[in-house]
Amino acid sequence: MEEIDRQILALLADDGRMSFTDLAKETGLSVSAVHQRVRRLQKRGIVQGFTARLDHARIGLPLTAFVSIKPIDPSAPDDAPERLAHLTAIEACHSVAGDESYILKVRVGSPNELEDLLQRIRAAANVATRTTVVLSTPWEGRPPRPDGPAADPGD
């Protein structure tokens, strides 16, 4: 991937509503060149869409938790993501290595709602759960750095 594409990705990750004009100013490209590059990044599946970042507390979902799941019956089909897709409180489902099979990121309104969701997860997917409640989130959703995802400014 070219450096200029990395820069465009970082800018869009930070502000998905940034105009092509502003992207052009930031990158030194013409507006049409930026438009072509963004369209190419979308066609390649690198840019998969644009979303709004929400203040979850203000929309009634102040409690975030990570729920690790593993099947009760290890010989059962590995279909937990499909069995849990209907539960909209699950924001993300990650397949992981280790004791658990998946880690779910969930957002709910209260501890009671979390307890209810855990029961629904267990019943829907026939899994055991281990839950970690988030106390605070200093940051999340950091955009990639233009000079590479693993770059460290101290290098």
Side-chain angles (χ1 to χ4, degrees):
M1 180 178 302
E2 294 181 38
E3 178 62 30
I4 196 72
D5 289 336
R6 289 187 190 281
Q7 187 178 3
I8 290 169
L9 291 173
L11 290 165
L12 286 174
D14 189 49
D15 179 3
R17 292 179 50 118
M18 183 176 267
S19 70
F20 290 128
T21 301
D22 289 340
L23 284 169
K25 287 177 188 174
E26 290 289 329
T27 60
L29 296 173
S30 70
V31 173
S32 64
V34 166
H35 186 263
Q36 289 173 356
R37 283 181 179 268
V38 170
R39 187 178 321 135
R40 187 176 65 223
L41 291 166
Q42 288 175 300
K43 285 183 181 178
R44 291 173 56 198
I46 296 169
V47 173
Q48 297 180 344
F50 299 91
T51 62
R53 286 190 295 240
L54 307 177
D55 182 330
H56 291 92
R58 289 186 179 184
I59 62 169
L61 301 171
L63 197 155
T64 302
F66 292 96
V67 180
S68 300
I69 64 172
K70 66 179 178 179
I72 292 174
D73 177 4
S75 66
D78 184 13
D79 60 355
E82 293 81 11
R83 290 172 169 256
L84 298 173
H86 70 285
L87 297 174
T88 58
I90 301 174
E91 182 177 301
C93 176
H94 303 278
S95 176
V96 296
D99 289 336
E100 287 88 9
S101 300
Y102 296 93
I103 295 178
L104 313 174
K105 181 179 181 182
V106 305
R107 293 190 194 266
V108 293
S110 69
N112 287 340
E113 287 181 27
L114 178 59
E115 185 175 25
D116 178 61
L117 178 62
L118 292 173
Q119 290 172 354
R120 294 170 63 204
I121 289 169
R122 290 181 196 119
N126 195 29
V127 293
T129 62
R130 185 174 54 88
T131 304
T132 302
V133 173
V134 174
L135 299 177
S136 69
T137 304
W139 49 263
E140 77 176 333
R142 290 200 306 195
R145 293 182 43 84
D147 49 355
D152 182 347
D155 288 346

